[in-house]
Amino acid sequence: MQPQSKLSGIFTPNLVPYDSKGEINEPELRRYIDWLIEKGVHGLYPNGSTGEFTRFTPEERRRIVAIIADQTKGRVPILAGAAEANVRETIKACEYYHGLGIRAVAIVAPFYYKLSPASVYAYFKEIGDNTPIDVTLYNIPMFASPIDVPTIQRLSEECERIVAIKDSSGDIPNMIRMIQAVRPNRPEFSFLTGWDAALMPLLLSGADGGTNASSGVVPELTRKLYDMTLSGQLDEARRIQYDLLTLFDTMIYSAEFPEGFRAAVELRGFSMGEGRQPITPEQQTDISTLSRTLQCMLSEHGFTNEPIGGCTTGITEDLSNSDVSQIVQRVVAELNRRKLI
């Protein structure tokens, strides 16, 4: 097997624009890809959670990756989500993406059925032994069976094709344990965080980069945060991390995921269309309110103009007490679900 470059930097989880019929808007997707690359992201990550991979058919998932590969033309590496409903179909997806020249695939642990660590190991071992393309393990315990540290260590030592892990748990100590367990025997193994709020601390702890949803909205900020953290400009990096955290929390907790991110990308000049998850009129009103809040946030960095009527002195004043209460309740509920409080 020819050695390839280590996965590192910011890989953007790609949102997919829809047309008026709810189908993939290919011209707008191509325009969005060019924009992300021009803004400095290190790589692209289609068919992830932010890209709503479960809301597409297997054929649509392949088409999305094919479009992105064609538009990218090798300018940046692509890490393609390849998780299908079972191991056979997942290996077929690996073979297809290998044929497109994709750098690596990301595969979430089995979802729907909660499996034991032994079954999670067996699933990835089957893939690792039969894939023609490099594999990134995708740990997202809130949606799928968790991949524990002993399993990651065992797979990294037994499967040469398993070259990285993307961890979206937001559990900083646990990811440090992964690095500590794997890196001595696999120094080329990559560690990517999928939790934007933890990007700077994990880079400082030895992670190699991130697959961060906010990079699809403010690629300039995530790239700057990455560069400044690695170059030791920590005071400025910390300020950016704080700003990114505020934006990330607002997008993820103020609407059904990933509608907050879709609303924010609209504000950057892209027509995202209506998502495939039906929403109520009340939810649509909430998204409209959220869009105004996001526009005020983005305007502070010069990414958009202020909304009509302007912004009040401080973004939080755009939110009513009930809005703030709802955001706090969602944050606390999410932290409880992830057993972080």
Side-chain angles (χ1 to χ4, degrees):
M1 183 177 75
Q2 289 289 332
Q4 297 199 58
S5 58
K6 185 177 185 178
L7 295 172
S8 63
I10 304 299
F11 281 75
T12 296
N14 299 109
L15 291 159
V16 178
Y18 298 103
D19 63 20
S20 60
K21 296 180 180 179
E23 302 299 329
I24 298 165
N25 186 336
E26 181 174 334
E28 195 71 346
L29 177 57
R30 289 179 179 274
R31 190 169 75 90
Y32 182 48
I33 293 309
D34 283 342
W35 180 78
L36 289 170
I37 295 172
E38 289 165 6
K39 293 298 182 182
V41 300
H42 298 96
L44 301 171
Y45 174 39
N47 290 345
S49 301
T50 307
E52 304 174 274
F53 77 97
T54 61
R55 291 171 180 159
F56 293 99
T57 66
E59 293 75 21
E60 286 176 318
R61 286 193 282 273
R62 294 185 182 194
R63 183 181 168 219
I64 289 166
V65 177
I67 291 169
I68 292 175
D70 180 68
Q71 191 65 23
T72 300
K73 292 181 171 58
R75 287 177 289 170
V76 297
I78 296 171
L79 174 65
E84 296 295 340
N86 58 70
V87 71
R88 286 188 178 184
E89 294 304 312
T90 296
I91 291 173
K92 287 180 182 178
C94 291
E95 293 168 348
Y96 179 78
Y97 296 143
H98 179 255
L100 292 177
I102 300 303
R103 168 63 186 87
V105 295
I107 301 175
V108 69
F111 46 94
Y112 186 79
Y113 296 104
K114 285 291 185 181
L115 301 181
S116 67
S119 291
V120 171
Y121 162 79
Y123 177 80
F124 281 115
K125 183 68 163 63
E126 181 75 11
I127 294 169
D129 287 345
N130 293 283
T131 176
I133 191 171
D134 285 349
V135 170
T136 297
L137 308 174
Y138 181 3
N139 186 44
I140 184 164
M142 65 187 76
F143 294 142
S145 301
I147 315 172
D148 64 14
V149 173
T151 298
I152 297 164
Q153 182 176 15
R154 186 178 178 188
L155 289 167
S156 73
E157 293 175 353
E158 295 180 6
C159 301
E160 188 179 15
R161 276 294 189 191
I162 295 178
V163 301
I165 183 161
K166 160 185 156 50
D167 181 80
S168 294
S169 69
D171 188 337
I172 295 174
N174 195 56
M175 192 161 184
I176 294 173
R177 294 184 192 104
M178 295 179 195
I179 296 171
Q180 189 178 34
V182 173
R183 188 154 281 165
N185 292 328
R186 286 285 300 275
E188 78 286 2
F189 198 92
S190 292
F191 297 87
L192 306 172
T193 176
W195 197 252
D196 301 39
L199 180 55
M200 181 183 177
L202 282 170
L203 288 173
L204 291 171
S205 299
D208 300 286
T211 56
N212 305 114
S214 55
S215 70
V217 178
V218 285
E220 307 94 331
L221 282 187
T222 48
R223 175 61 189 262
K224 190 174 182 181
L225 174 57
Y226 176 86
D227 289 342
M228 290 196 160
T229 301
L230 266 58
S231 64
Q233 301 176 68
L234 300 186
D235 288 340
E236 179 62 19
R238 190 179 301 110
R239 283 192 288 271
I240 297 171
Q241 177 70 86
Y242 291 165
D243 284 348
L244 203 63
L245 173 64
T246 302
L247 180 63
F248 176 71
D249 282 353
T250 303
M251 291 188 293
I252 201 168
Y253 295 124
S254 298
E256 297 288 347
F257 179 75
E259 293 302 324
F261 295 89
R262 296 179 64 84
V265 172
E266 284 264 356
L267 294 170
R268 295 306 306 268
F270 295 93
S271 177
M272 300 305 292
E274 292 186 12
R276 289 188 173 178
Q277 171 60 39
I279 60 175
T280 66
E282 292 78 12
Q283 287 175 307
Q284 184 59 58
T285 299
D286 290 343
I287 291 172
S288 297
T289 303
L290 170 62
S291 292
R292 182 180 177 85
T293 303
L294 291 171
Q295 190 168 353
C296 286
M297 288 183 171
L298 294 172
S299 69
E300 285 200 339
H301 289 277
F303 295 141
T304 65
N305 296 323
E306 288 190 357
I308 295 173
C311 299
T312 54
T313 57
I315 291 162
T316 54
E317 294 180 19
D318 287 321
L319 299 172
S320 67
N321 288 336
S322 62
D323 290 331
V324 173
S325 176
Q326 288 178 13
I327 291 173
V328 170
Q329 289 173 11
R330 287 169 181 157
V331 171
V332 171
E334 180 65 21
L335 292 173
N336 274 320
R337 182 169 69 168
R338 294 165 54 215
K339 299 180 180 179
L340 295 180
I341 60 173

